[in-house]
Amino acid sequence: MVNEKMEAALNAQLNAEVYSGYLYLSMAAYFEDIDLAGFANWMRVQAEEELEHGMKFYDYIIRRGASVTLEAIEKPQTEWESPLAVFEHVLSHEKMVTGLINDLVDLAIQERDHATNNFLQWFVEEQVEEEENAMEMLAKVKLAGDDNSIIYTLNEEFATRVRTPSEE
Ligand code: FEO
């Protein structure tokens, strides 16, 4: 069992992961609007991964005999100044999520909930990857600058991203 404090915090993180999915889906829609279908594909895959993260929390809450409580999902931003602004947002968002995961780990340690701490370690590692990916994407878009031929090449590259379901 997890205690009530942990249950509430895990439910809040479930909401945050689904919100991340919603935010990235909004970014996908923005890229569709500006005719960068490859960029949109990359974001759509990212959105699916976030929903998968949310489901990991959903399943874990249930496995520990606690209750899932779904709250409203905040409306995400819908417009960005440029593709560069989108990837700056992705990186700042992922850094924020890393902070949320760190807070959860702190709480698990404080509550002496070793099982939850263990469960959360997957997310600690995942956030390293998420920030790494965001930095890489940002660097690519930054290097492209206003050169439409490079943006076109990136668009082709991002069109090839497919979802790889994470391992348990
Ligand atoms: Fe669920 Fe992008 O971290």
Side-chain angles (χ1 to χ4, degrees):
M1 292 287 286
V2 292
N3 68 23
E4 277 182 19
K5 221 176 183 178
M6 204 71 241
E7 180 184 55
L10 290 167
N11 271 292
Q13 192 60 31
L14 164 52
N15 183 280
E17 297 291 346
V18 176
Y19 171 75
S20 294
Y22 221 37
L23 176 64
Y24 293 147
L25 194 57
S26 188
M27 290 173 174
Y30 161 77
F31 282 127
E32 294 285 3
D33 281 348
I34 60 170
D35 295 324
L36 287 173
F39 281 68
N41 173 67
W42 194 95
M43 280 300 170
R44 189 176 172 141
V45 170
Q46 191 66 23
E48 287 171 6
E49 277 194 7
E50 297 299 351
L51 291 179
E52 193 182 292
H53 294 170
M55 290 311 293
K56 279 184 183 289
F57 279 95
Y58 178 99
D59 289 336
Y60 181 73
I61 293 165
I62 290 170
R63 282 184 70 203
R64 301 309 310 281
S67 296
V68 165
T69 309
L70 298 178
E71 301 290 345
I73 307 296
E74 194 188 323
K75 183 179 194 261
Q77 189 174 329
T78 54
E79 298 283 342
W80 287 265
E81 253 178 44
S82 61
L84 182 64
V86 174
F87 286 102
E88 280 169 346
H89 191 171
V90 172
L91 181 57
S92 68
H93 183 73
E94 287 301 335
K95 284 181 178 171
M96 189 275 292
V97 173
T98 299
L100 295 178
I101 297 293
N102 288 344
D103 289 347
L104 271 176
V105 171
D106 285 349
L107 181 64
I109 291 168
Q110 186 190 310
E111 299 297 314
R112 303 192 74 248
D113 187 341
H114 299 296
T116 299
N117 184 10
N118 190 45
F119 163 75
L120 290 169
Q121 293 309 307
W122 185 91
F123 286 92
V124 170
E125 178 57 31
E126 176 67 10
Q127 283 311 118
V128 173
E129 202 179 292
E130 292 281 65
E131 287 190 27
E132 190 182 11
N133 285 344
M135 285 187 287
E136 198 184 303
M137 296 294 285
L138 182 57
K140 283 181 179 177
V141 175
K142 220 178 232 174
L143 275 174
D146 292 331
D147 188 333
N148 280 338
S149 65
I150 303 180
I151 294 285
Y152 179 81
T153 306
L154 288 179
N155 192 50
E156 299 280 289
E157 179 190 327
F158 299 161
T160 62
R161 185 182 187 194
V162 289
R163 198 171 76 92
T164 46
S166 57
E167 289 166 27
E168 289 303 314

